[in-house]
Amino acid sequence: MNRTLSISIAQLNLLVGDIKGNSERILKIVKKYDKYSDIIIFSELSLTGYPPEDLIFRSDFKKDCLIQLKRIQKASKHTAIILGHPWYEKNKIFNALSFFYKEKLISRYFKQSLPNYGVFDELRYFTSVHKNCIVKFKNYRLGLLICEDIWNNKIINSIKNAGAEMLLTINASPFEIHKQKIRNNLLFYHCKKFNIPIIYLNQVGAQDELIFDGNSIILANKGKQIYQLNEFKEQIATVYFKNLTLINKNKKNKKTSYIEQTYKALVMSTYDYINKNNFNGAILGLSGGIDSSLTVTIAVDAIGKERVQAIMMPFRYTRKISILNAKIQAKLLGIKINIININSIFDEFIKLIKPIIKDIKYTVVEENIQARCRAIILMAISNKYNKLVLTTSNKSESAVGYSTLYGDLAGGFNILKDISKTLVFKLAKYRNTISTIIPKNIINRAPSAELAPRQLDQDTLPPYSVLDKILKEYIENNLSKNELIKLGFNKKIVYKIIDLIDNNEYKRRQSPIGPKITVRNFGKDRRYPITSGFKNKII
Amino acid sequence: MNRTLSISIAQLNLLVGDIKGNSERILKIVKKYDKYSDIIIFSELSLTGYPPEDLIFRSDFKKDCLIQLKRIQKASKHTAIILGHPWYEKNKIFNALSFFYKEKLISRYFKQSLPNYGVFDELRYFTSVHKNCIVKFKNYRLGLLICEDIWNNKIINSIKNAGAEMLLTINASPFEIHKQKIRNNLLFYHCKKFNIPIIYLNQVGAQDELIFDGNSIILANKGKQIYQLNEFKEQIATVYFKNLTLINKNKKNKKTSYIEQTYKALVMSTYDYINKNNFNGAILGLSGGIDSSLTVTIAVDAIGKERVQAIMMPFRYTRKISILNAKIQAKLLGIKINIININSIFDEFIKLIKPIIKDIKYTVVEENIQARCRAIILMAISNKYNKLVLTTSNKSESAVGYSTLYGDLAGGFNILKDISKTLVFKLAKYRNTISTIIPKNIINRAPSAELAPRQLDQDTLPPYSVLDKILKEYIENNLSKNELIKLGFNKKIVYKIIDLIDNNEYKRRQSPIGPKITVRNFGKDRRYPITSGFKNKII
């Protein structure tokens, strides 16, 4: 028997909740690809965008889903459509996949393996059904899967045993440093072990703190045949099979460093957050330090220099070199910069609170006032011109609470929220390999918040090279104080750092969202109580 | 056979994460009650406090649990102990109950029904096991259950059929208006239907946004025998059974209105948040309006007048009557009040941002500056004296975004976060029935943010009586725009209000936590994306 099959893979960047808009895009593509290929496939919950969170419980949301689903079904003429969408039945909701052909529903599959860890809450929404789905189409027995299913060996075994000849899996698999490799290794493993072609379609684009990297991949012939779609970009590609052999020439994305991938992920995430939320542009405080320099550079790479505005807000402790650096940075990027000195406002505040706070010293109280004055100025411009305030804090600072609530933590989106200081430096250096955009003396300066005279981060913190290692072990790997000390870290430092992390949960809870990059971000990944007696324990 | 059984019920307010501290309290009580009763029972996860959230994944947390669990086991001498705690086995965690007696583990039960909706995420943490647990003790066959289990008819049927003569259930059931009635009705139903005594122990105290009301209850003789423990207070009570008859005289808490219950819930929640987080006291901006008046009154009722400080921060739009009201309010409560006029700071800000924002008008930009100046002052005092800033916003405002991020939304705890404006009035009037503490003219004034001259909330919002009904239907009951219009609400108003709600998710995401009172709070109950195409849809 000589069989052929062509499959178009739509790796799209859709908008969560915009059921009608997503549907219009899908219909347009379906129309264009009708007759062009045998099947066109769309990603997990592509109808609603992923993840729709609690919107999915709304009756109006459900109604909208059903209306648009019907339209898409009717649009399947000569080409079969595989589409991910929620399905409502009685009081249950399923993470579903429909196989439409010639205006008919051929089969509907419900996701079996529902992730409910890390950033995932699928058991809050969906009911799982342990039933495989194999569709016979054009003499192929196609095994249909949704995302987490493919991570479950039991499911793969059973669907293969049931006779599937090819696996088509639709996904919404969030980006994490190094995750793409793990994911591809898994797909290779399955493809090789079972000698089965795998069509793996991933969503692309960013949604709040999540980033979807695309990188859809088609594997055949025990993994020797590979066809990979773009990373961080939309693409619709068509692959052709003759029997189980992939006809397309091998195509593999060039291997990139995790630094480069992270940079691209941050750029896409910033672009999507600003545009999907209809901001006119972005505004931020430029301090002459590396965090704000990297943040503004990513913003310009994301939305263009015309839409990015910088404000330098020096205080009497701000060194001249900082003002100069900020100006140079703005000039190199070609963006507008305004300088607003906050001395007078700060002094006015001090005057006003003097009757209440008598012993004004340059403690954290006064440092916070500086940071908060700057926030008021940025927020005023943001409110006036509908520009998003970009928070410039990094993960190391968020961890130990070295940032001011309603001060430098103010803003709608924190690009570096999941980026440790060590990684900030690496990203800046990486960006300079494309074009020299971040001045060397900004990269090489000793980090300082400049909230007090001659203040340096290292006055009260260990070097970032040490700090970031402790943070990684404590936050990402859940190591205890004792385990950290056993690893060779200084006991006093470990205690100090962990106490700082534990005591600053309240700040993180009110801080803006930012893109998840690591295995455990400060966001949906890490849900700690604010009120906690655990933080004071010595174990 | 003549059997007797005495059970001590420890309705305690424990601290999440403080495994050692909780354990010490439990051990002290066990020592005191040893020989006094046959069994002493402690609530769900009482060892760790409920809910421990992601702390439970930590290896140091696990280790601490196991150490303290052993100590408690060894402490069971003449009295059996029933204790809730997490149990770790291989890679799984169970929400467990241990029955210890004479230093031995008699039985260990794993919760069958794991809630994973609303504020609950138990499937993130625990594995359920569908296996009943009946312990034979002193010739009684005791059926042991944990919280959600009792809401599951299947489980009750099966444990009854397996021979349980008495149900002992340990709980951590969060407070909600009207929930106590639903809970008690359910217990009566089971007790009557199966003619089985039920010992229902609930946790008491507040943890972040959750409130546990206590109200533990013992039912026997088809519900005709009742013994109820305090609401919103710790209590250890002992009940005595002869066969299956309850010996204690009936004791039922007097019926209180939902307003009174809510008031008590807010007071306890404020007390616990401030004290469990080791704040010296609380500080807030008093505006002369009802929200801040009610907030400060609750704070004083919670922690006493000595620990509460008020600041009145008038601007040139503030009416004299507002300043006067604030002063009267402070005097009636006997608290310190400072007056700080923010004119000069505001003017300084306007001067500074003029070069950037040329057309300064009294728009939302300038209104926000006022609110943010006040936040800076409050935060400075908070930082200096370790006093918690109380946010004075209410649920109606949070819903439509009529509050300023980093302005009046600043603060660590928002007592009225889940209280609609209509309920704010009711609570104020209720409080005055105890003692006249909130001046009538504060209650009777037309609500205004006073951020612009002669501004009233009702200039741009429908009356709160209408607004709050729309909010309830949309937020708590998930009704759509069309469904709201069908209920008779004005179309234009419905569209305006819903758009406001949908577009202000970003503000709510950065606002402080506050006690959950309703069936759906802005917090763990309602998880909406910030980036959403659903909000712009007309369905």
Side-chain angles (χ1 to χ4, degrees), chain A residues 287-451:
Chain A
S287 71
I290 184 135
D291 297 314
S292 59
S293 260
L294 180 61
T295 300
V296 72
T297 303
I298 292 170
V300 168
D301 282 344
I303 58 167
K305 60 184 180 181
E306 294 79 11
R307 292 174 72 194
V308 179
Q309 184 179 357
I311 315 282
M312 168 56 176
M313 294 167 282
F315 181 60
R316 58 181 69 98
Y317 304 143
T318 310
R319 293 173 58 200
K320 273 193 195 133
I321 182 75
S322 299
I323 304 176
L324 190 66
N325 279 344
K327 281 184 180 166
I328 292 170
Q329 183 62 80
K331 203 173 171 191
L332 279 166
L333 289 165
I335 59 167
K336 212 171 117 179
I337 185 167
N338 294 82
I339 315 280
I340 301 181
N341 189 298
I342 61 164
N343 281 341
S344 59
I345 293 191
F346 177 89
D347 293 342
E348 194 62 41
F349 268 113
I350 295 296
K351 209 165 77 192
L352 286 188
I353 61 172
K354 229 174 197 164
I356 298 173
I357 304 181
K358 290 199 174 76
D359 53 331
I360 306 266
K361 282 185 222 122
Y362 288 96
T363 62
V364 74
V365 178
E366 293 73 30
E367 294 184 7
N368 281 340
I369 292 178
Q370 295 168 47
R372 289 181 181 131
C373 287
R374 294 186 175 113
I376 290 192
I377 294 171
L378 291 174
M379 287 304 295
I381 303 169
S382 165
N383 289 161
K384 185 79 187 179
Y385 299 110
N386 184 33
K387 287 181 182 174
L388 172 70
V389 173
L390 294 171
T391 309
T392 56
S393 190
N394 62 53
K395 190 177 193 178
S396 310
E397 288 173 355
S398 290
V400 295
Y402 273 38
S403 39
T404 300
L405 197 56
Y406 324 131
D408 55 320
L409 272 181
F413 198 67
N414 186 353
I415 302 178
L416 307 179
K417 179 161 180 161
D418 202 27
I419 307 291
S420 69
K421 189 79 174 191
T422 315
L423 189 49
V424 166
F425 284 108
K426 285 182 185 165
L427 287 167
K429 283 175 191 159
Y430 158 74
R431 180 56 185 82
N432 276 354
T433 63
I434 302 172
S435 61
T436 314
I437 206 79
I438 301 178
K440 264 210 184 121
N441 81 57
I442 290 184
I443 298 179
N444 294 333
R445 283 180 82 189
S448 165
E450 288 199 330
L451 293 168

Side-chain angles (χ1 to χ4, degrees), chain A residues 53-67:
Chain A
E53 302 187 68
D54 282 10
L55 284 172
I56 210 165
F57 294 136
R58 302 197 61 83
S59 61
D60 40 7
F61 189 89
K62 171 182 169 181
K63 201 175 151 191
D64 226 16
C65 275
L66 298 180
I67 292 169

